[in-house]
Each structure stands twice: as structure tokens, then as C-alpha cells.
Amino acid sequence: ETGVTQTPRHLVMGMTNKKSLKCEQHLGHNAMYWYKQSAKKPLELMFVYNFKEQTENNSVPSRFSPECPNSSHLFLHLHTLQPEDSALYLCASSQATGTSFPYEQYFGPGTRLTVT
Amino acid sequence: KQEVTQIPAALSVPEGENLVLNCSFTDSAIYNLQWFRQDPGKGLTSLLLIQSSQREQTSGRLNASLDKSSGRSTLYIAASQPGDSATYLCAVQNTGNQFYFGTGTSLTVIP
């Protein structure tokens, strides 16, 4: 058990659906991340939140909308997705972000998303 | 943009063998490098984190080295076991909060 949980573990949705992915960390961390892992491609960092404030948005399409109501919870709201958005979506947390100190990232098990 | 490469993409070794996994990166201005393992269908588990000022880190049978100037890191696994079978990923942190991952090395340890 890594201390980072994600729900649901599997999700199948049509292109017109709206769904949300949830991530919760029980480690007392202040930073949370969303990553996308597609087959045969490196993990892609999507969003970073530090103390509930978004610090990074790596040119992610607006059909992905993150929300961080507090330091323990992170959501990824999905709407009008495309089949190429099918992937494993991973959430991670760390004590904080930045480069003043190396903060180790801890990952959840991921949500396997299939867009039909 | 930082590019991280891991070679080989796949590796199969008999149990008990020592092995080395390689990671290279194009921009040497990194703040740290982290090695992870990922089991099929699972998330990532952190193995070792090396700060840019460090040369190596050790944890049990694992030893990771970092040569920042040449843009290379290696993960050494001693006396491999079937339970070590997984995909091993390296990731570097550049300026700000940008993290770049390699595509991983898929390791199979044969009993």
C-alpha cells in the first residue's frame, strides 16, 4: 500500500460522457500530480498542484480539467474525450515541489481509462 | 526539451545474476534523478532518489549511480530474484516542477 489511492481503477466511457477520476493521499503531502501513461510512451506530466495551487499545466487539452479542493484530494474531470485519450492515468504526491530540496514522488495504482 | 532514454528496452536474465540497467538524459542541468519499478497494471514504486550533488545511492541489493556531466545513471541489481521482474523507470527533475520519464526497461528474472 503506497498511501496514494485512486478510484475508479477501471473506467470505460463514451466520447460524449462526463466522468471524474479521484485521487487521495494519506501521507500528509502538499503536492499532487496527474500523469498520463500510454502504451510504448514515457509518462507524461499533465498537472502539478502545490498547496492546492496549480503550478504546472503541460499544454493539456481543455477536455481534461483538474481540481484540487485540498492537499489530500485531487480530481481529474473528463468530458468529450477522444479514443486516443485511452491510457493509464496515474496520480502522485510528494512532500512539496520545487528544486530547493529533492522531494520523492509516491504513486497511486492508476485508473485504466478506455474511451470508446 | 529533456529526453530520457533507457537501454535495453527488455532484459531477461537467470536468477542470481547481477545486472545493470541504463538511463541517459540529454540535459545535464537536473536537480535529481529517481528510479522506480512498475509491476503490470500497477502504479510506480520509488526505489532510489539521487540528488544532483550525489554520485550514488544504495538500498539493499540496489545501487544507483549518477554521472550528471555525462548525462547517465545506472541501476545495479545484485543477485537478481524472480520477484525483481518488473519494468524499471528512471525520471529526472529539471527546472521548476518538470519531470521527465524514460520508457523503461522490462526485466524478467528466470527461476
Side-chain angles (χ1 to χ4, degrees):
Chain A
E1 183 60 45
T2 64
V4 181
T5 59
Q6 290 186 243
T7 56
R9 296 293 307 277
H10 301 272
L11 177 62
V12 179
M13 59 186 288
M15 295 197 299
T16 58
N17 291 158
K18 289 185 180 181
K19 297 286 184 183
S20 296
L21 309 185
K22 178 183 177 181
C23 175
E24 182 174 2
Q25 58 92 3
H26 312 274
L27 302 168
H29 289 165
N30 296 300
M32 298 188 77
Y33 311 76
W34 278 118
Y35 286 90
K36 175 183 178 183
Q37 187 176 35
S38 304
K40 308 295 185 185
K41 294 175 68 175
L43 266 75
E44 300 171 58
L45 180 63
M46 300 174 73
F47 302 105
V48 181
Y49 278 83
N50 194 33
F51 291 92
K52 302 188 297 179
E53 298 295 321
Q54 188 180 123
T55 60
E56 300 290 337
N57 177 342
N58 284 349
S59 303
V60 180
S62 60
R63 57 185 183 270
F64 295 91
S65 175
E67 178 190 1
C68 188
N70 55 61
S71 293
S72 298
H73 294 86
L74 184 65
F75 295 89
L76 188 62
H77 304 300
L78 316 171
H79 64 96
T80 58
L81 294 191
Q82 304 298 312
E84 60 264 30
D85 296 323
S86 298
L88 181 67
Y89 288 84
L90 292 163
C91 172
S93 72
S94 64
Q95 188 175 348
T97 64
T99 55
S100 58
F101 190 81
Y103 296 108
E104 198 169 353
Q105 292 190 49
Y106 295 83
F107 281 77
T111 295
R112 174 67 63 187
L113 173 67
T114 303
V115 181
T116 60
Chain B
K1 181 185 174 184
Q2 176 75 271
E3 291 188 10
V4 181
T5 304
Q6 291 187 247
I7 295 173
L11 181 63
S12 184
V13 300
E15 182 178 2
E17 192 164 296
N18 302 326
L19 58 101
V20 175
L21 306 180
N22 297 293
C23 173
S24 61
F25 44 94
T26 54
D27 183 352
S28 62
I30 66 168
Y31 288 94
N32 61 67
L33 182 146
Q34 195 167 357
W35 280 94
F36 297 88
R37 70 172 280 168
Q38 184 175 28
D39 294 282
K42 302 284 183 65
L44 279 66
T45 300
S46 177
L47 298 173
L48 291 163
L49 183 149
I50 309 177
Q51 299 178 45
S52 60
S53 58
Q54 298 177 320
R55 298 282 293 182
E56 65 177 341
Q57 282 285 341
T58 298
S59 176
R61 295 182 294 109
L62 305 180
N63 176 277
S65 68
L66 174 64
D67 184 343
K68 203 172 80 160
S69 61
S70 67
R72 293 181 180 180
S73 176
T74 61
L75 179 66
Y76 175 83
I77 302 178
S80 57
Q81 302 171 358
D84 294 331
S85 298
T87 296
Y88 290 80
L89 299 164
C90 72
V92 299
Q93 181 181 2
N94 275 79
T95 56
N97 300 318
Q98 290 300 324
F99 297 85
Y100 298 92
F101 281 75
T103 51
T105 294
S106 177
L107 173 66
T108 302
V109 180
I110 305 166

